[in-house]
Amino acid sequence: ADAPLAPPHEAAAQAEDTELLAVDVEYTKEEFVRIVTDTALRAFLKLLPVYSGMSLLAGLMFGLMNGPVIGIASFLLLIGLLFALNVLTARARAVRSYALMPDSAKRVRVSFTDKGITVKSERPGESVRFVWKAVERAVERQDSVEFYTATSFLRIPKRCIPQMEELRTLVDSHRRS
């Protein structure tokens, strides 16, 4: 019971995780800003019921004290303010962040395997893996391909995907039904 566990066999793990397709992505400023803004919008929409409830209570309170027009105006003002703070400021922060970001942070390698999708930064130790089971949907847009999980999404610009038909086939064979 006191003996240490043997380390996992690396060769077997690597054999199971063979890279079927890899895409090198270098995000442009516009793509980066759009991803950050879309992420902020998704977060805002997830919290919209909470924000609406708070704004409704504030509108009701102001409406009872100052009349219904003031109540409605305060509700709309508060929702608009919360939208601006969450979404519009995210856009401004993304523009500043991109300007200060080292080039290595702008580049990632997206690997598709039988297990899932792995996104690796050029900086050591920075990677994210999405198992195929967690990928709820894959969407091909005019200029990008997006992969959605319950908590996040990955956007790959089409300009970075030379083997688009191969990617479609791979995703269709692993996508969750």
Side-chain angles (χ1 to χ4, degrees):
D2 293 331
L5 294 174
H9 187 58
E10 288 294 321
Q14 288 175 351
E16 290 179 340
D17 210 16
T18 303
E19 195 174 81
L20 302 174
L21 178 69
V23 178
D24 292 314
V25 180
E26 184 165 352
Y27 290 104
T28 64
K29 179 180 176 181
E30 293 77 22
E31 291 165 344
F32 179 77
V33 170
R34 190 167 153 219
I35 288 170
V36 171
T37 304
D38 289 351
T39 302
L41 181 60
R42 284 172 52 100
F44 175 79
L45 291 175
K46 284 181 180 179
L47 290 173
L48 190 57
V50 174
Y51 292 154
S52 297
M54 290 182 343
S55 299
L56 185 62
L57 287 175
L60 185 61
M61 185 177 71
F62 283 115
L64 290 174
M65 292 189 314
N66 302 311
V69 174
I70 300 295
I72 292 169
S74 64
F75 170 79
L76 294 174
L77 180 68
L78 193 52
I79 285 287
L81 181 65
L82 288 168
F83 176 81
L85 287 173
N86 283 288
V87 179
L88 301 179
T89 58
R91 180 177 178 79
R93 284 192 311 267
V95 170
R96 283 193 311 270
S97 294
Y98 190 86
L100 299 172
M101 192 180 296
D103 287 340
S104 63
K106 298 173 188 174
R107 289 187 296 268
V108 295
R109 181 174 183 87
V110 182
S111 301
F112 296 88
T113 67
D114 281 328
K115 287 184 176 183
I117 304 168
T118 303
V119 182
K120 292 181 185 173
S121 171
E122 287 185 357
R123 299 185 312 193
E126 293 184 3
S127 67
V128 170
R129 171 175 278 176
F130 303 104
V131 293
W132 285 116
K133 187 176 176 182
V135 177
E136 294 177 348
R137 62 190 173 115
V139 179
E140 182 177 348
R141 304 223 184 263
Q142 182 178 353
D143 60 346
S144 64
V145 177
E146 298 173 349
F147 298 91
Y148 293 87
T149 69
T151 58
S152 59
F153 77 102
L154 168 65
R155 180 177 293 148
I156 305 171
K158 278 188 173 178
R159 64 177 174 75
C160 299
I161 308 171
Q163 316 94 332
M164 193 62 206
E165 195 56 44
E166 189 177 336
L167 178 61
R168 279 189 198 104
T169 304
L170 178 67
V171 170
D172 286 345
S173 68
H174 289 91
R175 188 179 54 176
R176 185 168 86 171
S177 304

